[in-house]
Amino acid sequence: MLKRFMDVRDEEVGAVLWSFLYFFTLMCGYAILRPIRTELGTAGSVKDLPELYTATFLVMLAVVPAFSALVARWPRRVVIPRVYRFFLLCLLAMFALLKLEVAPVLVSRVFFVWLSVYNLFVVSIFWSFMSDVFASGQGKRLFGFIAAGGTTGMLLGPFLVGRLAKPLGPVNLILISVVLLEVSAQCVRQLSRWAHDVQHQPPVAEGPVGGGVLAGLRLLLTSPFLLALGLQVFLYAATSTFINFQEVRLVAEVGKDAAHRTALFGDIDFYVQLATLAVQAFVTGRFISKLGLGAAMAVAPVLTMLGFLGLAAAPLLVVLILFKAVRGASHYALERPSREILFTTVDREARYKSKSFIDTVVYRGSDTVSGWLQEGLKALGMSMTGLSLTAVPLAGLWLAVSLYLARHQRRQTPGAPATLEPAVPDNVPAR
């Protein structure tokens, strides 16, 4: 039945379903935590957000080298489940502190920073693992469906929050995320077995990555392709921060109490993911196949420019929800899968180390810079309309970088059409 919806081989069906479940549980757990983080971290105010983003960035600077050291020494089947269980134990500790009301203001801010690190880190690991398990041609056929697993999780999570936050209390929802994270760790083990038994990956593809702990930064600084990928992520994150600040302000204006604001944040995420799932189900595969990576990567920045112009004209919560829905759909259904396909063309060290550096340190560094920029502009008297217009050129530069990456990808395979499958470099083991 799965073959009716996607181009999947018989031997790939089990791996695709495990991958779908893996991303579903990972993102559903995060989607449950995100509205809790936003409410706890801001308490209806945006004055502390720049400080929280700065703290997150500093934590990332310590976490990424530590992860690089782990993957350099241990195989992925060992490292990834252990990293997930470390985060699981952190979640249980946060739950206990919040329930006991130990230093609630401090713990709330720590939870905000922790989840901001967690969500980027575990998702980056997921896509690194996917691009390591599946070959480049498989990625083009399968990543759209696998990404829909995450979207489904991001759809169910806010739905649960919107309906359970008031009767159960926001903090108790953390335990649901704990269970889902353990399921994600089990999926990693199943996929590692499949890669060995069915995909017949050589030992070098399953073993430690090797290299130094700062190799990710070194590779990023010496590769124009990786630098462009880093700049693309930086600009996407910067525009996301502009949106997030305005979301918090608008929700604070209408939210009655903590539970109500948490439910509102959950409902906004629900509508974003509903639009994303619709695009993934009916558009993603056909769009990328027919129009190519360039067009797929251009949609999100174009819609972002139009969205900020709309928000500048009418800074209302309903406009922001519509903006986030169409932008989120284009990013998660088109731009993000296209970017992950690009990562299948690099070697394993860049895939695990440079990618994690880009997806975490660069992303949160962008949060920090754009957050303080917004606070500075606001201190100078700039209104929400002015802040929205300031973000438009950032989206334009994001569009230019995305088109450059697509052209670079076409040059990697001379004579290939715009809908090419990513080329596999010589230093990537055959699969």
Side-chain angles (χ1 to χ4, degrees):
M1 185 175 64
L2 191 61
K3 293 182 178 180
R4 296 179 182 179
F5 303 99
M6 59 182 300
D7 181 13
V8 59
R9 313 290 191 261
D10 289 338
E11 67 276 10
E12 298 168 342
V13 171
V16 168
L17 293 177
W18 278 113
S19 300
F20 185 96
L21 178 63
Y22 178 7
F23 207 23
F24 168 81
T25 54
L26 198 66
M27 298 313 295
C28 185
Y30 166 65
I32 290 171
L33 297 173
R34 184 162 68 171
I36 302 172
R37 176 200 67 177
T38 307
E39 169 55 30
L40 290 176
T42 63
S45 171
V46 296
K47 60 182 174 58
D48 294 327
L49 280 180
E51 289 88 347
L52 293 173
Y53 282 138
T54 302
T56 302
F57 173 67
L58 295 175
V59 173
M60 285 293 193
L61 289 177
V63 170
V64 171
F67 176 71
S68 295
L70 290 175
V71 297
R73 183 177 180 183
W74 303 100
R76 68 192 182 200
R77 70 178 184 277
V78 174
V79 171
I80 298 177
R82 289 184 179 179
V83 168
Y84 284 176
R85 290 194 177 108
F86 168 77
F87 282 119
L88 187 153
L89 292 175
C90 290
L91 259 182
L92 289 174
M94 295 287 183
F95 170 78
L97 292 172
L98 289 169
K99 288 294 289 185
L100 295 173
E101 297 184 352
V102 177
V105 175
L106 177 61
V107 173
S108 295
R109 291 175 179 175
V110 170
F111 183 80
F112 186 100
V113 172
W114 178 87
L115 190 62
S116 298
V117 173
Y118 164 84
N119 81 296
L120 290 181
F121 204 70
V122 297
V123 172
S124 177
I125 291 174
F126 168 81
W127 282 114
S128 295
F129 184 57
M130 289 296 102
S131 59
D132 206 20
V133 169
F134 295 104
S136 57
Q138 292 174 308
K140 183 182 177 183
R141 291 186 291 105
L142 306 176
F143 279 4
F145 180 82
I146 291 171
T151 303
T152 306
M154 290 293 289
L155 185 62
L156 180 61
F159 179 83
L160 293 175
V161 171
R163 281 132 195 90
L164 298 178
K166 292 181 180 179
L168 297 183
V171 174
N172 292 322
L173 299 178
I174 292 175
L175 294 179
I176 301 176
S177 296
V178 169
V179 175
L180 292 172
L181 186 55
E182 175 58 28
V183 175
S184 299
Q186 295 300 325
C187 290
V188 173
R189 296 191 181 279
Q190 294 295 330
L191 284 165
S192 295
R193 293 192 188 100
W194 177 84
H196 180 271
D197 297 339
V198 179
Q199 196 83 323
H200 301 300
Q201 287 187 338
V204 66
E206 300 179 54
V209 173
V213 297
L214 297 179
L217 178 59
R218 175 182 57 79
L219 292 170
L220 177 65
L221 295 177
T222 57
S223 168
F225 179 65
L226 291 175
L227 273 175
L229 281 168
L231 181 57
Q232 185 202 36
V233 170
F234 184 93
L235 293 166
Y236 165 72
T239 56
S240 297
T241 301
F242 271 75
I243 296 172
N244 291 341
F245 272 55
Q246 303 212 30
E247 178 185 3
V248 171
R249 290 190 181 102
L250 292 172
V251 170
E253 292 176 2
V254 300
K256 300 174 182 178
D257 52 35
H260 186 214
R261 287 190 296 269
T262 302
L264 277 174
F265 286 125
D267 285 339
I268 291 172
D269 287 345
F270 174 78
Y271 290 122
V272 170
Q273 300 308 322
L274 184 64
T276 302
L277 187 61
V279 174
Q280 285 176 324
F282 301 106
V283 177
T284 300
R286 298 180 182 90
F287 194 102
I288 295 178
S289 297
K290 293 182 179 180
L291 299 181
L293 294 181
M297 296 172 72
V299 175
V302 169
L303 290 177
T304 299
M305 286 189 284
L306 295 176
F308 276 119
L309 290 173
L311 201 57
L316 303 172
L317 185 59
V318 65
V319 176
L320 182 135
I321 292 173
L322 179 62
F323 177 19
K324 287 198 69 173
V326 296
R327 181 182 188 269
S330 63
H331 168 67
Y332 291 112
L334 296 173
E335 193 234 12
R336 183 65 188 262
S338 298
R339 174 155 41 98
E340 300 307 335
I341 289 172
L342 295 178
F343 271 108
T344 64
T345 68
V346 301
D347 61 26
R348 296 186 73 229
E349 189 170 27
R351 195 175 299 146
Y352 277 99
K353 296 182 179 180
S354 292
K355 178 171 169 47
S356 66
F357 187 90
I358 290 171
D359 288 346
T360 57
V361 175
V362 171
Y363 193 109
R364 288 310 179 198
S366 177
D367 281 342
T368 302
V369 172
S370 54
W372 284 111
L373 173 62
Q374 283 197 90
E375 286 300 292
L377 294 174
K378 184 182 175 184
L380 294 174
M382 183 173 288
S383 64
M384 288 183 64
T385 296
L387 291 173
S388 294
L389 293 175
T390 302
V392 173
L394 295 176
L397 183 56
W398 174 21
L399 172 62
V401 173
S402 297
L403 295 176
Y404 163 79
L405 286 168
R407 287 195 298 270
H408 181 280
Q409 178 66 12
R410 287 197 294 271
R411 289 196 297 269
Q412 290 291 96
T413 307
T419 57
L420 61 95
E421 294 186 5
V424 180
D426 293 337
N427 55 353
V428 175
R431 303 176 193 164

Coordinates of all heavy atoms in Angstrom, one line a residue, residues 233-308:
V233 N 21.1 28.8 6.5 CA 20.5 28.5 7.8 C 20.5 29.7 8.7 O 19.5 30.0 9.4 CB 21.3 27.3 8.5 CG1 20.8 27.2 10.0 CG2 21.1 26.0 7.7
F234 N 21.5 30.5 8.6 CA 21.6 31.7 9.4 C 20.5 32.7 9.1 O 19.8 33.3 9.9 CB 23.0 32.4 9.2 CG 23.2 33.7 10.0 CD1 23.8 33.6 11.2 CD2 22.7 34.9 9.6 CE1 24.0 34.7 12.0 CE2 22.9 36.0 10.3 CZ 23.6 36.0 11.5
L235 N 20.2 32.8 7.8 CA 19.2 33.8 7.3 C 17.8 33.2 7.6 O 16.9 34.0 8.0 CB 19.4 34.1 5.8 CG 20.6 34.8 5.5 CD1 20.9 34.8 4.0 CD2 20.5 36.3 6.0
Y236 N 17.6 31.9 7.5 CA 16.3 31.3 7.8 C 16.0 31.6 9.3 O 14.9 31.9 9.7 CB 16.3 29.8 7.5 CG 15.1 29.1 8.2 CD1 13.8 29.3 7.8 CD2 15.4 28.3 9.3 CE1 12.8 28.7 8.4 CE2 14.3 27.7 10.0 CZ 13.0 27.8 9.5 OH 12.0 27.2 10.2
A237 N 17.1 31.3 10.2 CA 16.9 31.5 11.6 C 16.6 32.9 12.0 O 15.8 33.2 12.9 CB 18.1 30.9 12.3
A238 N 17.3 33.8 11.3 CA 17.1 35.3 11.6 C 15.7 35.7 11.3 O 15.0 36.4 12.1 CB 18.1 36.1 10.8
T239 N 15.1 35.3 10.2 CA 13.7 35.6 9.9 C 12.8 34.9 10.9 O 11.7 35.5 11.2 CB 13.4 35.2 8.4 OG1 13.6 33.8 8.2 CG2 14.2 36.1 7.4
S240 N 13.1 33.7 11.3 CA 12.3 33.0 12.3 C 12.3 33.7 13.6 O 11.2 33.8 14.3 CB 12.8 31.6 12.5 OG 12.8 30.8 11.3
T241 N 13.4 34.3 14.0 CA 13.4 35.0 15.3 C 12.6 36.3 15.2 O 11.9 36.6 16.2 CB 14.9 35.4 15.6 OG1 15.7 34.2 15.7 CG2 15.0 36.2 16.9
F242 N 12.6 37.0 14.1 CA 11.7 38.1 13.9 C 10.2 37.7 14.0 O 9.5 38.4 14.7 CB 12.0 38.8 12.5 CG 13.0 39.8 12.5 CD1 14.4 39.5 12.6 CD2 12.7 41.2 12.5 CE1 15.4 40.4 12.6 CE2 13.7 42.1 12.5 CZ 15.1 41.7 12.5
I243 N 9.9 36.6 13.5 CA 8.5 36.1 13.6 C 8.2 35.7 15.0 O 7.1 36.1 15.6 CB 8.3 34.9 12.6 CG1 8.4 35.4 11.2 CG2 6.9 34.3 12.9 CD1 8.4 34.2 10.2
N244 N 9.1 35.0 15.7 CA 8.9 34.6 17.1 C 8.7 35.7 18.0 O 7.8 35.6 18.9 CB 10.0 33.7 17.5 CG 10.1 32.4 16.8 OD1 9.1 31.9 16.2 ND2 11.2 31.7 16.8
F245 N 9.4 36.8 17.9 CA 9.3 37.9 18.8 C 7.9 38.5 18.6 O 7.2 38.9 19.6 CB 10.4 38.9 18.5 CG 11.6 38.7 19.2 CD1 12.3 37.5 19.2 CD2 12.2 39.8 20.0 CE1 13.5 37.3 19.8 CE2 13.4 39.6 20.7 CZ 14.0 38.4 20.6
Q246 N 7.4 38.6 17.4 CA 6.1 39.2 17.2 C 5.0 38.3 17.6 O 4.0 38.8 18.1 CB 6.0 39.6 15.7 CG 7.1 40.5 15.2 CD 6.6 41.5 14.1 OE1 5.5 41.9 14.1 NE2 7.5 41.9 13.2
E247 N 5.2 37.0 17.5 CA 4.2 36.0 18.0 C 4.1 36.2 19.5 O 2.9 36.2 20.0 CB 4.7 34.6 17.6 CG 3.7 33.5 18.1 CD 4.3 32.1 17.9 OE1 5.4 32.0 17.4 OE2 3.5 31.2 18.2
V248 N 5.2 36.3 20.2 CA 5.1 36.4 21.7 C 4.4 37.7 22.1 O 3.5 37.7 23.0 CB 6.5 36.3 22.3 CG1 6.5 36.6 23.8 CG2 7.1 34.9 22.1
R249 N 4.7 38.7 21.4 CA 4.0 40.0 21.7 C 2.5 39.9 21.5 O 1.7 40.4 22.3 CB 4.6 41.1 20.9 CG 6.0 41.5 21.2 CD 6.5 42.8 20.6 NE 7.9 43.1 20.9 CZ 8.9 42.9 20.1 NH1 8.7 42.4 18.9 NH2 10.1 43.2 20.5
L250 N 2.1 39.4 20.3 CA 0.7 39.4 20.0 C -0.1 38.4 20.9 O -1.2 38.7 21.3 CB 0.5 38.9 18.5 CG 1.0 40.0 17.5 CD1 1.0 39.4 16.1 CD2 0.2 41.2 17.5
V251 N 0.5 37.2 21.2 CA -0.1 36.3 22.1 C -0.2 36.9 23.5 O -1.3 36.7 24.2 CB 0.6 35.0 22.2 CG1 0.1 34.1 23.3 CG2 0.5 34.2 20.8
A252 N 0.8 37.6 23.9 CA 0.7 38.3 25.3 C -0.4 39.3 25.4 O -1.0 39.5 26.5 CB 2.1 39.0 25.6
E253 N -0.8 39.9 24.3 CA -1.9 40.9 24.3 C -3.2 40.2 24.5 O -4.1 40.9 25.0 CB -1.9 41.7 23.0 CG -0.6 42.6 22.8 CD -0.6 43.3 21.4 OE1 -1.6 43.1 20.7 OE2 0.3 44.0 21.2
V254 N -3.4 39.0 24.1 CA -4.7 38.3 24.1 C -4.8 37.2 25.1 O -5.9 36.8 25.5 CB -5.1 37.8 22.7 CG1 -5.2 38.9 21.7 CG2 -4.2 36.7 22.2
G255 N -3.6 36.7 25.6 CA -3.6 35.6 26.5 C -4.0 36.0 27.9 O -3.6 37.0 28.5
K256 N -4.9 35.2 28.6 CA -5.4 35.6 29.9 C -4.6 35.1 31.0 O -4.4 35.7 32.0 CB -6.8 34.9 30.0 CG -7.8 35.4 29.0 CD -9.2 34.7 29.1 CE -10.1 35.1 28.0 NZ -11.4 34.4 28.1
D257 N -4.0 33.9 30.9 CA -3.1 33.3 31.9 C -2.2 32.3 31.3 O -2.1 32.2 30.0 CB -4.0 32.6 33.0 CG -5.0 31.6 32.4 OD1 -4.6 31.0 31.4 OD2 -6.1 31.5 33.0
A258 N -1.3 31.7 32.1 CA -0.3 30.8 31.6 C -0.9 29.6 30.7 O -0.4 29.3 29.7 CB 0.6 30.2 32.7
A259 N -1.9 29.0 31.3 CA -2.5 27.9 30.5 C -3.2 28.3 29.2 O -3.0 27.7 28.2 CB -3.6 27.2 31.4
H260 N -3.8 29.5 29.2 CA -4.4 30.0 28.0 C -3.3 30.4 27.0 O -3.5 30.0 25.8 CB -5.2 31.3 28.3 CG -6.0 31.8 27.2 ND1 -6.2 33.1 26.9 CD2 -6.6 31.2 26.1 CE1 -6.9 33.3 25.8 NE2 -7.2 32.1 25.3
R261 N -2.2 31.0 27.4 CA -1.2 31.3 26.5 C -0.5 30.1 25.9 O -0.2 30.0 24.7 CB -0.1 32.2 27.1 CG -0.6 33.7 27.4 CD 0.5 34.6 27.8 NE 1.1 34.2 29.1 CZ 0.7 34.6 30.3 NH1 -0.3 35.5 30.3 NH2 1.2 34.3 31.4
T262 N -0.3 29.1 26.8 CA 0.3 27.8 26.3 C -0.6 27.2 25.3 O -0.1 26.7 24.3 CB 0.5 26.8 27.5 OG1 1.3 27.5 28.5 CG2 1.1 25.5 27.0
A263 N -1.9 27.2 25.5 CA -2.9 26.6 24.5 C -2.8 27.4 23.2 O -2.9 26.8 22.1 CB -4.3 26.6 25.1
L264 N -2.7 28.7 23.3 CA -2.6 29.5 22.1 C -1.4 29.2 21.3 O -1.5 29.0 20.0 CB -2.6 31.0 22.4 CG -4.0 31.7 22.7 CD1 -3.8 33.1 23.2 CD2 -4.8 31.7 21.4
F265 N -0.3 29.1 21.9 CA 1.0 28.7 21.2 C 0.8 27.3 20.6 O 1.3 27.1 19.5 CB 2.2 28.7 22.2 CG 2.6 30.1 22.6 CD1 2.7 30.4 23.9 CD2 3.0 31.0 21.7 CE1 3.2 31.7 24.3 CE2 3.4 32.3 22.0 CZ 3.5 32.6 23.4
G266 N 0.2 26.4 21.3 CA 0.0 25.1 20.8 C -0.9 25.1 19.6 O -0.7 24.4 18.6
D267 N -2.0 25.9 19.6 CA -2.9 26.0 18.5 C -2.2 26.6 17.2 O -2.5 26.2 16.1 CB -4.1 26.8 18.8 CG -5.1 26.1 19.7 OD1 -5.0 24.8 19.8 OD2 -5.9 26.7 20.4
I268 N -1.4 27.6 17.4 CA -0.7 28.2 16.3 C 0.2 27.2 15.7 O 0.3 27.0 14.4 CB 0.2 29.4 16.8 CG1 -0.7 30.6 17.2 CG2 1.2 29.9 15.7 CD1 0.0 31.7 17.8
D269 N 1.0 26.4 16.5 CA 1.8 25.3 15.9 C 0.9 24.3 15.2 O 1.4 23.7 14.1 CB 2.6 24.6 17.0 CG 3.7 25.5 17.6 OD1 4.1 26.5 16.9 OD2 4.2 25.2 18.6
F270 N -0.2 24.0 15.7 CA -1.1 23.0 15.0 C -1.5 23.5 13.6 O -1.4 22.7 12.7 CB -2.4 22.9 15.9 CG -3.4 22.0 15.2 CD1 -3.3 20.6 15.2 CD2 -4.5 22.6 14.6 CE1 -4.3 19.8 14.6 CE2 -5.5 21.8 14.0 CZ -5.4 20.4 14.0
Y271 N -1.9 24.7 13.4 CA -2.2 25.2 12.1 C -1.1 25.2 11.2 O -1.2 24.9 10.0 CB -2.9 26.6 12.2 CG -4.2 26.6 12.9 CD1 -4.4 27.4 14.0 CD2 -5.3 25.8 12.4 CE1 -5.7 27.4 14.7 CE2 -6.5 25.8 13.0 CZ -6.7 26.6 14.2 OH -7.9 26.6 14.8
V272 N 0.1 25.6 11.7 CA 1.3 25.5 10.9 C 1.6 24.1 10.3 O 1.8 23.9 9.1 CB 2.6 26.0 11.6 CG1 3.8 25.8 10.9 CG2 2.4 27.5 11.9
Q273 N 1.5 23.1 11.2 CA 1.8 21.8 10.8 C 0.7 21.2 10.0 O 1.0 20.3 9.1 CB 2.1 20.9 12.1 CG 3.2 21.4 12.9 CD 4.5 21.6 12.1 OE1 4.8 20.8 11.2 NE2 5.2 22.6 12.5
L274 N -0.5 21.6 10.2 CA -1.6 21.1 9.3 C -1.4 21.5 7.9 O -1.5 20.7 6.9 CB -3.0 21.7 9.8 CG -4.2 21.2 9.1 CD1 -4.4 19.7 9.2 CD2 -5.4 21.9 9.6
A275 N -1.0 22.8 7.7 CA -0.7 23.3 6.3 C 0.5 22.6 5.8 O 0.6 22.2 4.6 CB -0.4 24.8 6.4
T276 N 1.5 22.3 6.6 CA 2.7 21.6 6.1 C 2.4 20.2 5.7 O 2.9 19.7 4.6 CB 3.8 21.5 7.3 OG1 4.1 22.8 7.7 CG2 5.0 20.8 6.8
L277 N 1.6 19.5 6.4 CA 1.2 18.1 6.1 C 0.5 18.1 4.8 O 0.7 17.2 3.9 CB 0.4 17.4 7.2 CG 0.1 15.9 7.0 CD1 1.4 15.1 7.0 CD2 -0.8 15.5 8.1
A278 N -0.4 19.0 4.5 CA -1.2 19.1 3.3 C -0.2 19.3 2.1 O -0.4 18.6 1.1 CB -2.2 20.2 3.3
V279 N 0.8 20.1 2.2 CA 1.7 20.4 1.2 C 2.6 19.1 0.9 O 2.8 18.7 -0.2 CB 2.6 21.6 1.5 CG1 3.7 21.7 0.4 CG2 1.8 22.8 1.5
Q280 N 3.1 18.5 2.0 CA 3.9 17.3 1.9 C 3.1 16.1 1.2 O 3.7 15.4 0.4 CB 4.4 16.8 3.2 CG 5.5 17.7 3.8 CD 5.9 17.3 5.1 OE1 5.1 16.9 6.0 NE2 7.2 17.4 5.4
A281 N 1.8 16.0 1.5 CA 1.0 14.9 1.0 C 0.7 15.1 -0.5 O 0.7 14.1 -1.3 CB -0.3 14.8 1.7
F282 N 0.5 16.3 -0.9 CA 0.0 16.5 -2.3 C 1.0 17.3 -3.2 O 0.8 17.3 -4.4 CB -1.3 17.3 -2.3 CG -2.4 16.6 -1.5 CD1 -2.7 17.1 -0.2 CD2 -3.0 15.5 -2.0 CE1 -3.7 16.4 0.5 CE2 -4.0 14.8 -1.3 CZ -4.3 15.3 0.0
V283 N 2.1 17.9 -2.7 CA 2.9 18.8 -3.5 C 4.3 18.4 -3.5 O 5.0 18.4 -4.6 CB 2.7 20.3 -3.0 CG1 3.6 21.2 -3.8 CG2 1.3 20.7 -3.1
T284 N 5.0 18.1 -2.4 CA 6.4 18.0 -2.3 C 7.1 17.1 -3.3 O 7.9 17.6 -4.1 CB 6.8 17.4 -0.9 OG1 6.3 18.3 0.1 CG2 8.3 17.4 -0.8
G285 N 6.7 15.8 -3.4 CA 7.3 14.9 -4.4 C 7.2 15.4 -5.8 O 8.2 15.4 -6.6
R286 N 6.0 15.8 -6.2 CA 5.8 16.2 -7.6 C 6.5 17.5 -7.9 O 7.1 17.7 -8.9 CB 4.3 16.4 -7.8 CG 3.5 15.2 -7.7 CD 2.0 15.4 -8.0 NE 1.2 14.2 -7.8 CZ 0.7 13.8 -6.7 NH1 0.8 14.6 -5.6 NH2 0.0 12.7 -6.6
F287 N 6.6 18.4 -6.9 CA 7.2 19.7 -7.1 C 8.7 19.6 -7.3 O 9.2 20.1 -8.3 CB 6.9 20.6 -5.8 CG 7.3 22.1 -6.0 CD1 6.2 23.0 -6.3 CD2 8.6 22.5 -6.0 CE1 6.5 24.3 -6.4 CE2 8.9 23.9 -6.2 CZ 7.8 24.8 -6.4
I288 N 9.4 18.9 -6.4 CA 10.8 18.7 -6.5 C 11.2 17.9 -7.8 O 12.1 18.2 -8.5 CB 11.4 18.0 -5.3 CG1 11.2 18.9 -4.1 CG2 12.9 17.7 -5.5 CD1 11.7 18.3 -2.8
S289 N 10.4 16.9 -8.1 CA 10.7 16.1 -9.3 C 10.5 16.9 -10.6 O 11.3 16.7 -11.5 CB 9.7 14.9 -9.4 OG 10.0 14.0 -8.2
K290 N 9.5 17.7 -10.7 CA 9.3 18.5 -11.9 C 10.0 19.8 -12.0 O 10.5 20.2 -13.1 CB 7.8 18.7 -12.0 CG 6.9 17.4 -12.3 CD 5.5 17.8 -12.4 CE 4.7 16.5 -12.7 NZ 3.2 16.8 -12.8
L291 N 10.1 20.5 -10.9 CA 10.7 21.9 -11.0 C 12.1 21.9 -10.4 O 12.8 22.9 -10.6 CB 9.8 22.9 -10.2 CG 8.4 23.0 -10.8 CD1 7.6 24.0 -10.0 CD2 8.5 23.4 -12.3
G292 N 12.6 20.9 -9.7 CA 13.9 20.9 -9.2 C 14.2 21.5 -7.8 O 13.3 22.2 -7.2
L293 N 15.4 21.4 -7.3 CA 15.8 21.8 -6.0 C 15.7 23.4 -5.9 O 15.4 23.9 -4.9 CB 17.1 21.3 -5.6 CG 17.3 19.8 -5.4 CD1 18.7 19.5 -5.0 CD2 16.3 19.3 -4.4
G294 N 16.1 24.0 -7.0 CA 16.1 25.5 -7.0 C 14.8 26.1 -6.7 O 14.6 27.0 -5.8
A295 N 13.8 25.6 -7.4 CA 12.4 26.1 -7.2 C 11.9 25.7 -5.8 O 11.3 26.5 -5.1 CB 11.5 25.6 -8.2
A296 N 12.2 24.5 -5.3 CA 11.8 24.1 -4.0 C 12.4 24.9 -2.9 O 11.7 25.2 -1.9 CB 12.1 22.6 -3.8
M297 N 13.6 25.3 -3.1 CA 14.3 26.1 -2.0 C 14.0 27.5 -2.1 O 14.2 28.3 -1.2 CB 15.8 25.9 -2.2 CG 16.3 24.4 -1.9 SD 18.0 24.2 -2.3 CE 18.8 25.0 -0.9
A298 N 13.4 28.0 -3.2 CA 13.0 29.4 -3.4 C 11.7 29.8 -2.8 O 11.4 30.9 -2.4 CB 13.1 29.8 -4.8
V299 N 10.8 28.8 -2.6 CA 9.4 29.1 -2.2 C 9.4 29.7 -0.8 O 8.7 30.8 -0.6 CB 8.6 27.8 -2.3 CG1 7.2 28.1 -1.7 CG2 8.4 27.3 -3.7
A300 N 10.1 29.2 0.1 CA 10.0 29.6 1.5 C 10.5 31.1 1.6 O 9.8 31.9 2.3 CB 10.8 28.7 2.4
P301 N 11.7 31.5 1.1 CA 12.1 32.9 1.2 C 11.1 33.8 0.5 O 10.9 35.0 1.0 CB 13.5 32.9 0.6 CG 13.7 31.6 -0.1 CD 12.8 30.7 0.5
V302 N 10.6 33.4 -0.6 CA 9.6 34.3 -1.3 C 8.4 34.6 -0.5 O 7.9 35.7 -0.3 CB 9.3 33.8 -2.7 CG1 8.1 34.5 -3.3 CG2 10.5 33.8 -3.6
L303 N 7.8 33.5 0.1 CA 6.7 33.6 1.0 C 7.0 34.4 2.2 O 6.1 35.1 2.8 CB 6.1 32.2 1.3 CG 5.5 31.5 0.2 CD1 5.0 30.1 0.6 CD2 4.3 32.2 -0.4
T304 N 8.2 34.3 2.7 CA 8.6 35.0 3.9 C 8.6 36.5 3.6 O 8.2 37.3 4.4 CB 10.0 34.6 4.4 OG1 10.0 33.2 4.7 CG2 10.5 35.4 5.6
M305 N 9.1 36.9 2.4 CA 9.1 38.3 2.1 C 7.7 38.8 2.0 O 7.3 39.9 2.6 CB 9.8 38.5 0.7 CG 11.3 38.5 0.8 SD 12.1 39.0 -0.7 CE 11.8 37.5 -1.8
L306 N 6.8 38.1 1.4 CA 5.4 38.5 1.2 C 4.7 38.5 2.6 O 3.9 39.4 2.9 CB 4.7 37.5 0.3 CG 5.1 37.5 -1.2 CD1 4.4 36.4 -1.9 CD2 4.9 38.9 -1.8
G307 N 5.1 37.5 3.5 CA 4.5 37.5 4.8 C 4.8 38.7 5.7 O 4.0 39.2 6.4
F308 N 6.1 39.1 5.6 CA 6.5 40.2 6.4 C 5.9 41.5 5.9 O 5.5 42.4 6.7 CB 8.0 40.4 6.4 CG 8.7 39.5 7.5 CD1 9.6 38.5 7.1 CD2 8.4 39.7 8.8 CE1 10.2 37.8 8.1 CE2 9.0 38.9 9.8 CZ 9.9 38.0 9.4

